[in-house]
Amino acid sequence: MTRTFKRALKLSCVPMSGILVLALSAPAQAQVDANEGAIGGDIIITAQKREERLLDVPVPVTAVSGSDMLAQNQTRAQDFFASVPGVNLQFQNNRAQLAIRGITTSPVTGNPVVGFTIDDVPYGSSTGQGGLFGAAPDLDPSELARIEVLRGPQGTLYGASSMGGLVKYVTIDPDLKDFGGSIGGGVQRVAKGGQTLGYNVRGAINVPLGETVGVRASAYTRKEPGYIDNVRTGKTNVNSSQVTGGRLSALWKPSESFSLKLSALYQERDIYGSSNVDASLGSVYLQSDQLGSGRSRSDTQMYSGLINADLGGVDVTSITAFSRATNYDFLDFTASPLTGFLFPLVFPDATEFGNVLRQGYEVDKFSHETRLSGAAGNAINWIVGGFYTHEKARYTIDTAATNPTDGSVYGYPVVWRDNVKYNEYAAFANLAVTLSEQFDVQFGGRYSKNKQEMTHREWVRSSPAPDPANYAETNPSASGEAFTFQVTPRFKPSPDHMIYGRLATGYRPGGPNAGCSEDPAEPVPCQFRPDKTVNYELGAKGTLAGGLLSYDVSVFHIDWKDIQITQVSSLGTFTFNSNAGKARSRGFEVAFEARPTQGLTVKAWWAYVNATLREPFASAAVYAARGDRLPFSSDHSGHLSFNYEAPVSDRVTANFGAAATYVGKRRGEFVPAESLAPLRQTYPDYVQIDVNAGLKFDNWTLSAFVQNLTNESGVIGGGFYNQTSFNADWFNYIRPRTVGLNVDFSF
C-alpha cells in the first residue's frame, strides 16, 4: 500500500468516523421506510435500451444524477469521470478523454474506443480525424437527468467505438403537467488564481401547452478562472475558460401510445490558454508556451427527433438526429522533431524557431435508428433494430514556424487538409429468454458494415499564404464489416440478489491513412484494420438489510487483438495509424452503498485493473515490450464518500458530505525506440479530497464546496514523448484547491 493511499485513509477516515458516530448516536430509526430507504430500487436506467432498475441490469453500470453533480460542483467532464470505477482520465488538447478498464494506447490513437450518446444519439465522429479522438462531451449538468457509464464492450446494442465502454447522457424531459423552472448562480476561486473569481449562471423553465404538449428551455454560462502564469509572454492566469450553451425541447404526447420529442442543443466552449505546466521552472503554476499557442474553441450543436409508439404488442422507437461540431486548437509543438529538422531547411536565415500548430476538427453527422421491441408470452422479450450514420469530417493542420521572441510567423512549412466521408449500416437484435422464475439468458448480435473515403492534400512551402496549386493529393479509402455478440445468463436467487455472467465483444472500425507509402525506409500502410475486444465477466448485484446496503461486484478478463496504434514519422512531419498485436485487461470492481441511519449515505468502491501488452511491437517510430502496461490505466483506484442530510427546523434542511478519490500509478505513452524504454513516463498516484455543505429552505438551495481540499498536484497527462506537445518537461495536473458558493431558486 503506497504512502499516498495511507495518507488518504487518514485524511478521509477522520471526518468519516466523526460523522458516523454523530449519525449513529442520533435517535435510532432502524426501520426506515422501505421506499425511501431502498438503494438502487428507485434508480431507473436505460443501459439496455429499455427502462430497468439499476440493480436488475446484468452490466456493470455507474449512474449519477445531474443534481448530485451540481451539489458537488462537478461541472466539467474530468470532475465526474475521475470518480467512476475503472475509469481513468487522459488529457489532450485541453479535453478529457477516457480509458475504461485500461482499453487505450494513447489519447490520439486510431479511432475512438469509448462511445458517447446524448439521449441515445451518437455523439462525435466515428473517426479520429473528426471526433477529437473520442473526447468526452463537456455538457453542463443542469440539464442532465443523469449520466450512465457502462464498463466493458457494448458493441451489440451500441455498435462501433464502444469496445472499451459507453457513456450515456440523459437529458431532462419536458413536463406536460406543471409549470416551473429554476434559476441559479455561484462564484468560485482557485488557489493561486490571483483575485479572479469564476462564476456560473443558469436557468430553466418548463411550460405545459395544454394537456398534450410541454416545452422546456434552458441556458447557462460559466467562467472558470485561470491559475497558470506564462513566463514567456508575461501573462497571468492564462488557462481560463468560458462555457455558454442552451437547450430547447418540446414533447407532444397526444395519447399513452404515442409521443414525439424534438430537441435542440447548442454549446460553445472557449479556452484562452493551455493548462501545460513546465516542470523545469520549479512550480506547478508556471508554463513557457509559445506566443500564439494555447487557444482552443469548440462549438457543438445537435438536433434530434424521437418517436415512441405502442402498436399493440410492439413498441417502436425511432431516433433521427443531425449534429455539427467545430473545433480548433493552437498547440505549442516546438519540441517535436519537425522543428529541428525541417524548419532550418525551409527558413535558413532564421536562427530560432517556435512551432505553433493549429489543428482543426469539424464533423457533420446524420444518424438514424429504428428499433422494435416486444414480448412473446411471458418467457421471451426481444429487440430488433437498424442503424445508419453518414459523416463528413474535416481535419486541418497549419504548422506555423514562428519567431519565439515576438511570435511573428516566418511561414507555414506543413499544411494538411483531410476530408473524410464515413458511412455505416448496422442491424442488431437482442433476445431475453426466461427459463424459470430465477434464471434467464440474454442473447444479442449486431452486424455492421462501413465505407470510408478520404481526400488528403498537403504541401511544404515557406510562404505565409498557402497555394492550392502546390498541393500533393492522395485519395485512400477503406471499408470493413464486423459482427459483435453478447451472451448474458442471469440467476436471481431472490428478488434482491442477482448473479450474472457475460460474454460480450466490441470493435472500432479501421480506416484509411493519409500519406500512405511503400518506401522501404519508412512504409506507411494505406489502411489500418479494425481492432476487437472480447470480455469475459462474472458479476453480482443486490441489496441487504432490507435495502439499506447495496453491493455491485464484477470480475473481468478482456482480450484485445489487432490493437490500433498511432505512429509518428521519424522526422515528425506526420502521424499515421497501424495495427499491433494483442493486449489483455483483467481485474475486479467492488462497490457498496449504505444508509446506516436516516439521512446518511455512505459510498465506497475499489477497482483493480491489470492492462498489459501480450505481444511486443516495434517500428521506426514506436516501441513496446510484452508485459508493458497500457498507457494511462491505474492498477488500483478507489473512492470513499458520505453525505448526511437532516432537518434543522420545520422549514430548513442541512446537508454536508465529503469524498476521497484515489488514483494509482499510471504509465505514459509508449516510447519511439527500445533504447528509450527506461524513460517512459510514470505518473505518481494521488488522492483528491472534496467537501460540500448546503441548506435547503422553501424553494431556495444554498451550497458551498471545496474541491481538492489538500491542494494535491495530481498528474493527468504530459511528460516524455507525449503526443500533445512532445515536451518531456510539460505536464497537466488536476485543478488546485477550488472554493465556491452556489445559490439556486426553484419555482
Side-chain angles (χ1 to χ4, degrees):
M1 186 178 294
T2 66
R3 290 183 180 179
T4 305
F5 184 61
K6 289 180 179 178
R7 180 164 59 90
L9 286 177
K10 292 179 181 179
L11 290 170
S12 59
C13 287
V14 170
M16 179 67 75
S17 60
I19 186 60
L20 287 175
V21 170
L22 175 64
L24 293 173
S25 63
Q29 293 182 334
Q31 300 300 321
V32 180
D33 181 89
N35 292 326
E36 180 182 346
I39 297 174
D42 56 350
I43 300 176
I44 303 299
I45 64 173
T46 56
Q48 299 191 112
K49 297 196 173 182
R50 59 176 180 267
E51 291 188 346
E52 298 174 283
R53 292 195 321 157
L54 176 62
L55 292 177
D56 290 334
V57 177
V59 176
V61 182
T62 297
V64 65
S65 68
S67 58
D68 286 344
M69 294 174 64
L70 282 174
Q72 300 176 59
N73 199 49
Q74 293 179 334
T75 57
R76 305 176 305 162
Q78 56 262 45
D79 296 330
F80 164 66
F81 290 117
S83 61
V84 176
V87 176
N88 283 110
L89 282 172
Q90 309 164 62
F91 206 71
Q92 192 260 343
N93 296 3
N94 294 317
R95 294 178 177 86
Q97 291 167 295
L98 308 183
I100 298 180
R101 291 180 169 177
I103 303 300
T104 182
T105 53
S106 167
V108 291
T109 292
N111 293 323
V113 295
V114 175
F116 299 93
T117 65
I118 300 175
D119 290 336
D120 275 345
V121 175
Y123 169 88
S125 176
S126 302
T127 65
Q129 291 96 331
L132 295 169
F133 303 97
D138 204 3
L139 303 181
D140 192 89
S142 61
E143 268 300 285
L144 294 176
R146 64 185 180 278
I147 296 179
E148 303 172 14
V149 181
L150 288 64
R151 302 186 295 279
Q154 307 296 326
T156 301
L157 289 177
Y158 294 98
S161 301
S162 60
M163 58 184 287
L166 182 90
V167 180
K168 291 171 61 78
Y169 292 74
V170 182
T171 63
I172 300 173
D173 281 339
D175 190 330
L176 300 181
K177 296 181 180 180
D178 297 323
F179 171 84
S182 64
I183 187 169
V187 294
Q188 61 179 345
R189 185 179 182 276
V190 180
K192 304 294 183 180
Q195 300 303 312
T196 303
L197 287 178
Y199 62 85
N200 68 83
V201 179
R202 55 176 56 89
I205 188 168
N206 185 90
V207 182
L209 302 176
E211 297 181 353
T212 62
V213 177
V215 176
R216 180 181 176 88
S218 65
Y220 55 87
T221 185
R222 69 176 189 264
K223 175 69 178 293
E224 296 177 351
Y227 49 87
I228 296 176
D229 299 338
N230 190 311
V231 299
R232 183 184 298 275
T233 65
K235 294 182 178 180
T236 61
N237 306 324
V238 297
N239 61 321
S240 64
S241 64
Q242 180 91 39
V243 178
T244 301
R247 180 172 170 268
L248 178 66
S249 60
L251 176 63
W252 177 45
K253 193 172 182 179
S255 69
E256 291 299 318
S257 61
F258 181 85
S259 67
L260 168 65
K261 185 174 76 169
L262 302 176
S263 299
L265 177 150
Y266 178 78
Q267 178 173 285
E268 58 184 38
R269 181 170 181 255
D270 282 295
I271 298 175
Y272 301 109
S274 83
S275 295
N276 295 329
V277 169
D278 188 342
S280 68
L281 299 175
S283 170
V284 296
Y285 302 104
L286 297 176
Q287 66 172 223
S288 57
D289 290 31
Q290 293 287 336
L291 288 158
S293 67
R295 182 81 163 85
S296 295
R297 181 180 172 90
S298 62
D299 293 272
T300 302
Q301 49 186 310
M302 178 179 287
Y303 310 94
S304 64
L306 167 64
I307 295 175
N308 284 304
D310 181 354
L311 302 184
V314 176
D315 294 328
V316 179
T317 300
S318 179
I319 308 172
T320 303
F322 173 79
S323 63
R324 171 170 292 169
T326 304
N327 309 266
Y328 67 77
D329 310 304
F330 285 91
L331 308 175
D332 187 340
F333 246 44
T334 304
S336 72
L338 175 70
T339 308
F341 172 78
L342 182 62
F343 286 14
L345 298 178
V346 179
F347 308 105
D349 294 334
T351 58
E352 290 185 293
F353 293 100
N355 183 343
V356 177
L357 177 72
R358 185 193 188 278
Q359 290 188 121
Y361 308 83
E362 299 179 15
V363 61
D364 290 347
K365 181 181 185 114
F366 171 83
S367 66
H368 176 81
E369 178 176 300
T370 294
R371 61 180 183 268
L372 311 177
S373 62
N378 296 322
I380 297 177
N381 290 280
W382 53 269
I383 297 175
V384 297
F387 173 81
Y388 169 72
T389 184
H390 172 72
E391 304 172 16
K392 291 183 178 180
R394 293 166 292 279
Y395 176 52
T396 65
I397 289 179
D398 294 271
T399 303
T402 66
N403 184 330
T405 302
D406 59 12
S408 60
V409 178
Y410 300 131
Y412 297 86
V414 177
V415 175
W416 275 31
R417 296 292 183 267
D418 286 350
N419 290 287
V420 181
K421 292 182 180 180
Y422 179 94
N423 290 280
E424 180 185 347
Y425 302 84
F428 59 90
N430 201 71
L431 187 69
V433 181
T434 301
L435 302 177
S436 70
E437 291 184 358
Q438 297 177 313
F439 185 69
D440 59 61
V441 182
Q442 291 185 22
F443 305 90
R446 185 185 189 102
Y447 172 78
S448 305
K449 187 172 184 178
N450 70 80
K451 183 177 181 180
Q452 301 174 57
E453 299 176 351
M454 173 187 285
T455 298
H456 169 73
R457 293 177 293 171
E458 65 176 282
W459 75 84
V460 177
R461 57 181 290 111
S462 59
S463 66
D467 180 1
N470 288 335
Y471 275 106
E473 181 171 317
T474 58
N475 295 278
S477 63
S479 61
E481 56 185 1
F483 177 73
T484 54
F485 67 90
Q486 65 92 8
V487 180
T488 307
R490 180 177 63 170
F491 175 64
K492 300 193 71 173
S494 72
D496 297 327
H497 302 277
M498 174 182 66
I499 301 171
Y500 66 90
R502 184 170 173 83
L503 171 62
T505 63
Y507 86 103
R508 60 176 166 175
N513 268 322
C516 59
S517 169
E518 297 181 358
D519 184 351
E522 189 171 25
V524 177
C526 290
Q527 297 183 13
F528 58 99
R529 302 187 304 277
D531 50 355
K532 304 175 180 67
T533 52
V534 181
N535 181 34
Y536 308 88
E537 186 158 353
L538 182 64
K541 297 181 181 182
T543 60
L544 300 167
L548 299 181
L549 172 66
S550 72
Y551 63 90
D552 187 343
V553 181
S554 57
V555 180
F556 63 88
H557 175 111
I558 301 175
D559 287 325
W560 184 9
K561 67 177 183 178
D562 294 329
I563 62 177
Q564 293 177 14
I565 59 171
T566 292
Q567 302 193 49
V568 183
S569 68
S570 58
L571 301 180
T573 55
F574 65 93
T575 61
F576 60 93
N577 294 314
S578 62
N579 295 88
K582 299 178 181 179
R584 180 185 66 195
S585 177
R586 55 187 180 183
F588 64 83
E589 299 149 349
V590 181
F592 297 96
E593 181 176 340
R595 293 179 182 169
T597 190
Q598 185 76 29
L600 175 63
T601 302
V602 181
K603 298 180 181 181
W605 60 258
W606 189 263
Y608 169 73
V609 177
N610 182 20
T612 59
L613 288 173
R614 303 306 298 157
E615 294 180 355
F617 58 83
S619 70
V622 65
Y623 168 82
R626 174 184 169 89
D628 279 357
R629 189 165 188 84
L630 296 180
F632 299 98
S633 64
S634 56
D635 50 357
H636 291 279
S637 58
H639 182 83
L640 177 65
S641 68
F642 74 84
N643 188 76
Y644 183 64
E645 182 173 312
V648 177
S649 68
D650 292 339
R651 297 177 54 193
V652 180
T653 301
N655 69 278
F656 61 101
T661 302
Y662 170 72
V663 178
K665 290 182 179 180
R666 294 136 291 141
R667 300 303 303 271
E669 299 184 46
F670 295 122
V671 296
E674 182 177 5
S675 61
L676 299 174
L679 298 179
R680 187 181 175 195
Q681 193 65 52
T682 297
Y683 302 138
D685 56 353
Y686 68 89
V687 174
Q688 178 172 323
I689 297 177
D690 306 320
V691 296
N692 64 86
L695 293 173
K696 297 179 181 179
F697 49 96
D698 297 331
N699 295 331
W700 292 89
T701 300
L702 176 67
S703 59
F705 62 88
V706 181
Q707 292 175 312
N708 195 5
L709 177 67
T710 59
N711 208 30
E712 188 80 11
S713 298
V715 183
I716 54 176
F720 184 75
Y721 205 64
N722 75 87
Q723 294 186 35
T724 301
S725 69
F726 289 95
N727 194 314
D729 293 323
W730 289 10
F731 294 89
N732 298 119
Y733 296 86
I734 61 175
R735 188 163 61 175
R737 181 191 302 114
T738 303
V739 181
L741 181 69
N742 291 316
V743 179
D744 290 279
F745 175 74
S746 59
F747 57 90

